[in-house]
Amino acid sequence: MKFNYRRAGSLKEALEILSEGDESLKILAGGTDLLVMIQDKLISPGVLLDINGLEELKGIEESNGRIRLGALVSHGQIAADKLLREKALPLVESCGEVGSPQIRNRGTIGGNLVMASPSGDSIPALYVLGAEVSLKSRDGERVIPIEDFFTGVKKCVIRPDELLISITFPALGPDDRGFFKKLGQRKALAISKVSTAAVLTLRAGVVVSIRIALGAVGTTVLRAPRTEAFLTGKSLAPEVITEAARLCAEESRAITDIRSTGAYRDEMAGLLLARGLEKLA
Amino acid sequence: MNSNPSIIGTSPKRVDAREKVTGSARYGQDLRMDGMLFARVKHAEYPHARIRSIKTARAKRLKGVAAVVTAADIPGNPAFGAIIIDNQPIAGDKVRYLGDAVAVVAAETEAIAERAVDLIEVKYEELPGVFDPREALKPDAPRIHEKGNLIVHHKTRKGDVGVGFGEADRIIERSYSTQRVEHAYIETEVVVAYLDPDGTLVIKGSHQNLFNIRSAVAGVLGLPLSKVRIIQASLGGSFGGKDDCMAVLGCRAGLLSLKTARPIMLSNSREDSLVESYKRHPYFLDYKVGVKDDGTITAMEINIVADGGAYASMTQFVTWRSVVHATGPYRVPHVKTDIYGAYTNNTYTGAFRGFGSPQITFAYESLMDEIAGELGMDPLQFRLKNVLRDNDVTATGQKLDHTVSVGEALEVTTRAAGWDEKRKKFPEENAGRIMKRGIGLACSYRGVALGAEGVDATGAIVRIHSDGSVDLTTGLSEMGQGLKTIFSQIVAAELGLPIEKIQYRETDTSTITDGGPTVASRSTIIGGSAVRKAAIAAREKLGAAAAEKLGAPPAKIIASDEKIMVKGDPVRAVSFREAATMALDAGMNLSSFAWHVSPPIWWNEEEGRGDAYFTYVYGCQIAEVEVDPETGRVNVLEVWAAHDVGKAINPETVRGQICGGVATAIGYGLLEEVEMVDGVTKTMNLDEYLIPTAMDVGKIHAIILENEDKYGPYGAKCVAEPTAELCAAAIANAVCHATGKRIRDLPLNLERIVLGHKLVKKKRRVR
């Protein structure tokens, strides 16, 4: 494999290079997926544009109740971040379960999104946090709600001239709770068979609102709207949780592939939800 | 003359630790030579097809390509094999699995070689494939080899099972299956082939069994054995896995080297390795057992079918070990066992640590728990009632004349694990909790070394130099198991030297005669005996030279503390070095070669009986697990593993072997399976083929039992393989104790525990 390597010195330069329209160009961030794809000959890029030097794409900040993650923030940084642990727990939990320490330290949150794998662990967490993705090109910037970002397996709406620069979402408030749970075949370094994330607002023991997202069950991460509607306005009584798990399993309608069967995934999507909710009840 | 073997039974630092820890060890992938070319393989495109034509002209024309070879270029035999000569390094008329090569390219760079491979055009006539060994044995199945699909049928006969079942109060029948698994050594297969100026073809690489590889390469390339030299590079794991597949690489690279007169590097990617290299045999096992209400086993009838894949490889030997041990370590008066190995168009199967034992141990030890359950007996008590004891007779009619310690292993292990209390306590506690605890055990007996598979002999050379330093050479291979250290310890013990004075030379077929393969957990007992003999012979010469100077009879001279001295009179001594110089100056030969042959054994294949092995080892493992019955997750919390090794020459190495074997077996029990659908491998790398991580292996308590054996050096027998054959069964039994669910098919992955079936449903699944 042979390719040209370019390192962008600034965001402006990176966007200029992207605007040239070189179809053989691929962006190098952590490289944990990209290099494997090159090795497996799934892609053979002519140019790798290294964006690791772009300061604009780094850092974790909170302002006016919103949290901004630079696209280059690693899973390891997120998993170890105190602010996020307090205000974005599902994301912290999900990033802490990605791959191995080595992969977490190299792999970036922006990379995890643009790879658009339905089993990308950060994605269900960002769904339930109500995240938005900022895409920037030489001609401007657009902000896309995360649920509109993905269009299929390994497919998303980003244009070749755009760079994913940041992800923002509202910080969780004192009444908000959340979790991320996943199942893999082994305890570490295992791609999810199924994962479930949820964020809910709980007042006086009643669910005021809830978002649930299921990973690795379909071609993209999916929300569970019927389960969400059922839970809204209810307390987290055992029978409510049982029914929510049943509904969630029913609307998961998962696929069968090398990592698991649809039947198992459906059941587990509901179970993981129930287990997460039980802890909050 | 004697020595002071105080180093035996201690754990000095491994002699090869430094080079491995510092990264200076040279593995096959590290090798580079001037003018070296890189080879790549054009693999088959169908699991079963006749080759109609191969066009290589375009590949040959590509700039940077030095040679493209096909079967037509092979100067010697088209195939090689341990017993059946069927493994073709480059396929000629037919491909039989997707790992077959149809052509091999050598080029200036790997990238050019890869492009050249893509330019080779092959036309095939696709043939119907067979992917289930039970289907393969049906009369109308497509024929994979000309002589049919049956590789081998072994049997064991003892007594009359009709009579035995007649005496039984109950007859219990169960079926089990095991999966295809990969060795998953960290280093994939690699060779560098080159010609010495005298025309000797040298093949250096990740070899396990150098002499097997030499025979194969010499046969296929039409060279005398003396013109083929196999050298082992530092090996990044093997577990039985770098034998036939290395011969294949050696033949391919060797042919290209002969063709180009340049060094050739050929290495497998992980994907190549998963498809091409042989695996552990999947087994389908049917057991029928007669038992009395008091728990006495009266008869066992066993029928097993093994998937041999495209080539026979070690199938005859693997299944023979299974047929000898299929009943487990129990007194069974009436036995009828049949095992069939069949060709399929799957990746071929061969040697893998355990060698036909992990499969049967999973079956018979699951079964023993099932029978105990039917009888309402504790699994331990049921086993203790039936296990072999001293002077008992095995299923093959062999009277055991050594210490039979399976009962001891059971008692020691269960005591250490708190068996009685946990068997009682866990079910009560489980009633009120989601995560269910369980504890299960498995025990086994295992014939040591090759047994009646064939001649079991090996040699060693000990050379004492004039400065008192010592070289040790054997034909056996270090694979991480600690052989260099154990052998060096033996020489150090016999010569009275610190281990640092012993230099273990790299393994090279040109330095010593064929001493067989490094397999069957035979190295310590066979190789160690040869090493000991060679060291003693060298010492005797030294002693004779020193005796004269010290004025004492040779019988009174000992070697100890780097001195040759008069026993009981340490003042009358010369240094080891002085003694060596003296002896050499006197014209004595301080190099000794010794040969050790195993004690006699016999096997009657017609009648299915014999004294299959000259001694046996015994072991027991207990797994304590926590099962999440809702997700199917099994956490192995602790394992207690007791193994009778005869004598632990190096206890840390023994413990290392036990921990490694347990980890392998946890993978076999819970995680691993090479998924194949219609001959196509689905698990193509280690992100899909999951082996246990450190997080998945619980705490392991290694317990060493020592009942010295008259045939072993210092009483040592073996450790290696028995450690890998028990834990899958122990886990299955523990899962059943925790959940009440009996799972009879490996691996016990999440889906199987929750839903009762495997991850990807295979077609043609019979049960």
Side-chain angles (χ1 to χ4, degrees), chain B residues 396-438:
Chain B
T396 69
Q398 179 173 3
K399 190 177 173 194
L400 300 172
D401 61 355
H402 52 267
T403 306
V404 176
S405 56
V406 60
E408 180 190 352
L410 280 162
E411 277 159 14
V412 167
T413 319
T414 49
R415 207 178 312 127
W419 173 265
D420 290 339
E421 188 201 346
K422 286 173 180 171
R423 286 294 292 192
K424 222 174 285 149
K425 184 176 78 173
F426 287 164
E428 293 160 16
E429 292 173 353
N430 285 343
R433 62 188 176 196
I434 292 177
M435 300 296 278
K436 312 294 186 193
R437 284 273 175 115

Side-chain angles (χ1 to χ4, degrees), chain B residues 89-395:
Chain B
I90 307 178
D93 57 339
K94 214 172 136 175
V95 293
R96 295 182 176 87
Y97 85 115
L98 286 172
D100 267 330
V102 291
V104 193
V105 174
E108 299 293 338
T109 68
E110 216 157 309
I112 297 171
E114 261 170 46
R115 252 180 292 147
V117 161
D118 292 339
L119 294 175
I120 297 170
E121 294 165 71
V122 187
K123 287 219 171 77
Y124 296 95
E125 175 198 339
E126 197 182 353
L127 299 169
V130 190
F131 307 104
D132 182 317
R134 297 162 300 180
E135 297 289 327
L137 292 177
K138 292 183 178 167
D140 55 344
R143 284 195 163 205
I144 297 164
H145 290 271
E146 273 177 23
K147 287 185 179 164
N149 295 339
L150 180 68
I151 299 171
V152 68
H153 167 211
H154 291 301
K155 60 186 177 186
T156 296
R157 298 288 184 267
K158 180 185 177 190
D160 180 342
V161 286
V163 172
F165 288 125
E167 290 168 357
D169 294 315
R170 296 162 195 248
I171 290 172
I172 292 156
E173 291 185 71
R174 293 288 186 276
S175 297
Y176 303 89
S177 75
T178 67
Q179 78 282 31
R180 176 180 294 99
V181 291
E182 166 74 348
H183 307 79
Y185 24 72
I186 198 163
E187 173 205 38
T188 57
E189 307 82 22
V190 55
V191 293
V192 172
Y194 59 94
L195 287 165
D196 269 345
D198 64 5
T200 301
L201 176 66
V202 184
I203 297 176
K204 196 163 179 176
S206 58
H207 306 301
Q208 175 175 340
N209 299 323
L210 282 67
F211 295 97
N212 291 1
I213 295 162
R214 185 179 66 168
S215 301
V217 170
V220 170
L221 299 183
L223 295 169
L225 292 172
S226 60
K227 284 287 183 196
V228 180
R229 179 177 171 200
I230 311 292
I231 305 175
Q232 191 199 26
S234 282
L235 196 64
S238 185
F239 316 108
K242 286 172 174 167
D243 190 354
D244 312 51
C245 57
M246 291 309 304
V248 165
L249 263 71
C251 291
R252 292 172 184 168
L255 177 60
L256 284 167
S257 190
L258 291 175
K259 205 82 180 163
T260 60
R262 288 172 68 178
I264 306 286
M265 173 178 263
L266 175 56
S267 64
N268 275 344
S269 66
R270 181 65 67 185
E271 290 82 358
D272 290 338
S273 180
L274 267 155
V275 174
E276 186 182 294
S277 75
Y278 57 88
K279 313 294 177 225
R280 179 183 286 164
H281 294 70
Y283 273 26
F284 298 91
L285 312 101
D286 298 318
Y287 275 73
K288 181 179 172 186
V289 184
V291 63
K292 289 187 183 168
D293 283 335
D294 70 357
T296 310
I297 297 172
T298 61
M300 283 177 94
E301 187 173 344
I302 303 162
N303 199 68
I304 303 172
V305 179
D307 183 352
Y311 299 110
S313 180
M314 294 290 159
T315 294
Q316 286 99 330
F317 294 146
V318 168
T319 53
W320 182 72
R321 188 171 273 279
S322 304
V323 89
V324 170
H325 295 88
T327 59
Y330 302 103
R331 278 189 296 232
V332 189
H334 305 282
V335 179
K336 179 173 183 286
T337 304
D338 290 274
I339 185 164
Y340 302 85
Y343 287 119
T344 64
N345 296 110
N346 293 321
T347 298
Y348 69 114
T349 47
F352 188 152
R353 198 167 199 232
F355 208 75
S357 72
Q359 298 95 326
I360 55 165
T361 309
F362 169 68
Y364 69 68
E365 283 302 272
S366 296
L367 180 62
M368 289 301 137
D369 264 39
E370 293 206 59
I371 298 170
E374 295 252 336
L375 295 171
M377 285 179 78
D378 176 83
L380 170 64
Q381 296 311 322
F382 174 67
R383 283 179 177 79
L384 287 175
K385 188 173 179 65
N386 288 288
V387 287
L388 294 166
R389 306 282 181 180
D390 289 0
N391 299 310
D392 270 348
V393 174
T394 69

